[in-house]
Amino acid sequence: MNIFKTTKKQATINKQPSTIIMTFQEQIQQGIPSQLPQPKPYETNINHAPKRKEILTDEEKKLALKNALRYFEPKFHAELIQEFKKELDEFGRIYMYRFRPDYEMKARDIAEYPGKSEQAKAIMLMIQNNLDYAVAQHPHELITYGGNGAVFSNWAQYLLTMKYLSEMTDEQTLTMYSGHPMGLFPSHKDAPRVVVTNGMMIPNYSKPDDWEKFNALGVTQYGQMTAGSYMYIGPQGIVHGTTITVLNAFRKINKEPQGGLFVTSGLGGMSGAQPKAGNIAGCITVIAEVNPKITKIRHDQGWVNEIHENLDELVARVKKAQETQEVVSLAYLGNIVEVWEKFDQENLRIDIGSDQTSLHNPWAGGYYPVGISFEESNIMMAENPELFKEKVQETLRRHAAAINKHTEKGTYFFDYGNAFLLEASRAGADVMSENPTLGREFKFPSYVQDIMGPMCFDYGFGPFRWVCTSGKPEDLQKTDEIACRVLEEMIQNSPEEIQQQMKDNIQWIKGAQENKLVVGSQARILYADAEGRMKIAEAFNKAIKNGEIGAVVLGRDHHDVSGTDSPYRETSNIYDGSRFTADMAIHNVIGDSFRGATWVSIHNGGGVGWGEVINGGFGMLLDGSDDADRRLKSMLFWDVNNGISRRSWARNEGAVFAIKRAMEVEPNLKVTLPNFVDDSLF
Ligand SMILES: NC(=O)c1ccc[n+]([C@@H]2O[C@H](COP(=O)([O-])OP(=O)(O)OC[C@H]3O[C@@H](n4cnc5c(N)ncnc54)[C@H](O)[C@@H]3O)[C@@H](O)[C@H]2O)c1
């Protein structure tokens, strides 16, 4: 049969009568419906994923269709094949839109989920939160964030996974192969309920086009960091991380944020957190953004205080704010290069500088050239990509030259993990160090090399998050209070080395309610070390046991101490050559899985791109039981100390301090310590 030929017969077999009304629970339990639901119109008011690159040959397209159809009974194939082919032609992927459920997509109270396992119900809640319209970037394409961070590749995978979760017991484990639920396998109650892998490729097949091809074939997906592991909690995570970075950047230059000036760019998905973080940290933020729509959205949301379109006015406004030490964030609607150049001409003192344009994607709209309007740029990148590339590289050279003028006058500039230095160097900009060492090739550090690595990760401080499964704001408030109390007790006896991190997080948790950062589920994030994470989790579990709050899901961002091996980001402050290895991330997920995690995940590419990083994480349900208490202690201790031991072996002094301290607390921990070599021997 020629599958590309349209036949008359395909018309209308077995459509589900629209009058049958099923409860939410019944729909979940049903999985893939036994009758075909009505096709769904393409909703234009929803933010959709862009059309993906045309990459498959005709033969491969047949394979993609065959792969998609294996989720359905043969009697439906003749009808579905045409529809799926149309999706593949129009969008470059088969999403199976028709199977999108009709119920509202959002995290519900855990009690509303059908099932035999509380742990499985918690996972259903987290999956739905990651696909909530208020949370997800392209909800109909099952993309949570970052343009391609997928929870699933198609709706059949979603339906089948939810069905498996609703019927599994605590003696089974569901294995997820890049969005595809392979099935339920017998295990035991201490095993993870779900094991997730995303984008695990044979290393030689891990180039960006391999993702395009194998994702289009329906056999792998890009899970980002927390999308494909069901642990994304909206913008709160990024605001917290950015606040910690800005605060510590000011400390790095021994200056109070009040009256200090932070200049950066980008008001997009993650970058848009910068002005809000600047306000929480207490400085003056100037942030350039070329896209008027995005600038307006951030202003309407209250994430940036003012918009300026005139550089002279902007300069006057900054001077006034510097004089009065006003805490304010000012968007400049225009190119960031203009800001750096103008502030140099005006001799405006910039204390901290960075950049968060999307330079991981420089030729397709991640970075806009100076001197050309936003609209013209969009036309040029499609119609004259060669010229566009030239303009981008010319701009990068000007951008770096202007930054250099400021750094010569004392500005502290850092790369924000957006490939600014890498692309600037490729463009021939003046960013290379005069005395390069292994891992310090550029004149400027990355934010992990100077800030997050030595100040946070090496001591075990990382993004610990939790979700209240009752969905009640009161529960979140109580958990905030518990976490704050635990940290305030701990700080009394904390060593000098970690006092500052403890203080920052106590201040954050105290202000958390008033910063109103909850989107979707009732979730919170803070940075804590191994001891802090364990103590907070233990206190939550007790409160659940006493009936003060409902069950809580624990998790973390993969951007953490142990979960991620990423040579230019999370592990960029590892200088023993091992930053190009990924043993730590793999050990982490294996270790978490046999120490009590409710689910574990390991991904290729999160944050910086397919093939560039291996990142992993976990989820853990606290239900107030003694089992949960045992598991949390065992797993969290490992989850943090694994990374500290590796950082310590790489001779990072903070990590040597932290692992020695951990060994004092836990006699069963025995870690190989490095001997330091006297440099004069060389
Ligand atoms: N926030 C973090 O903690 C963090 C951590 C690591 C990496 N990053 C990186 O930061 C980058 C930005 O992420 P995002 O999600 O915000 O991306 P995004 O694409 O949503 O936002 C980038 C914004 O920069 C604007 N822009 C591009 N060129 C410009 C120019 N020359 N002048 C002014 N504005 C310009 C774009 O219009 C866009 O709105 C990514 O590369 C990401 O990987 C962020």
Side-chain angles (χ1 to χ4, degrees), residues 179-204:
H180 170 67
M182 192 57 84
L184 293 173
F185 291 78
S187 61
H188 55 85
K189 78 175 169 62
D190 271 343
R193 296 283 68 81
V194 178
V195 174
V196 178
T197 58
N198 278 307
M200 284 294 119
M201 303 300 288
I202 302 299
N204 266 344

Side-chain angles (χ1 to χ4, degrees), residues 137 146 238 241-242 245 265-274 288-291 294 332 334-337 355-361 365-370 374 395 399 416-419 447 559 569 607-608:
Q137 187 182 18
I238 200 74
T242 312
T245 307
S265 62
L267 283 171
M270 289 201 273
S271 48
Q274 294 174 105
E289 169 58 64
V290 285
N291 185 333
I294 289 182
Y332 171 63
N335 202 290
I336 180 62
V337 176
D355 187 80
Q356 264 198 56
T357 52
S358 275
L359 272 160
H360 68 273
N361 176 28
Y367 184 83
Y368 282 80
V370 66
F374 180 63
T395 304
H399 195 160
Y416 215 139
N418 64 339
Y447 74 120
H559 181 264
R569 239 172 70 171
V608 288

Side-chain angles (χ1 to χ4, degrees), residues 195-366:
V195 174
V196 178
T197 58
N198 278 307
M200 284 294 119
M201 303 300 288
I202 302 299
N204 266 344
Y205 300 85
S206 213
K207 297 178 189 66
D209 268 357
D210 293 322
W211 169 74
E212 296 279 0
K213 177 172 159 178
F214 294 107
N215 186 232
L217 282 176
V219 295
T220 192
Q221 70 176 11
Y222 184 68
Q224 261 287 9
M225 292 208 145
T226 48
S229 57
Y230 329 137
M231 199 39 84
Y232 186 72
I233 56 163
Q236 180 174 178
I238 200 74
V239 173
H240 176 262
T242 312
T243 305
I244 294 287
T245 307
V246 175
L247 277 173
N248 283 316
F250 275 102
R251 282 182 195 129
K252 185 92 200 148
I253 57 167
N254 293 320
K255 190 175 165 78
E256 287 299 319
Q258 283 68 29
L261 176 59
F262 171 41
V263 170
T264 183
S265 62
L267 283 171
M270 289 201 273
S271 48
Q274 294 174 105
K276 179 126 189 144
N279 281 6
I280 298 173
C283 62
I284 304 160
T285 307
V286 169
I287 186 154
E289 169 58 64
V290 285
N291 185 333
K293 268 194 195 157
I294 289 182
T295 310
K296 184 175 180 315
I297 289 173
R298 290 297 183 210
H299 186 247
D300 290 348
Q301 286 172 334
W303 285 47
V304 65
N305 301 129
E306 297 172 18
I307 302 177
H308 293 264
E309 295 187 38
N310 177 303
L311 280 170
D312 289 321
E313 274 172 33
L314 179 68
V315 168
R317 181 69 184 88
V318 172
K319 282 185 178 160
K320 188 174 150 227
Q322 281 179 323
E323 275 160 26
T324 56
Q325 300 211 332
E326 186 183 351
V327 177
V328 69
S329 51
L330 311 169
Y332 171 63
L333 179 54
N335 202 290
I336 180 62
V337 176
E338 296 169 37
V339 176
W340 283 103
E341 288 178 349
K342 178 74 178 176
F343 285 15
D344 173 51
Q345 286 156 17
E346 299 286 335
N347 240 336
L348 256 186
R349 189 196 68 241
I350 300 175
D351 299 289
I352 308 283
S354 193
D355 187 80
Q356 264 198 56
T357 52
S358 275
L359 272 160
H360 68 273
N361 176 28
W363 322 124

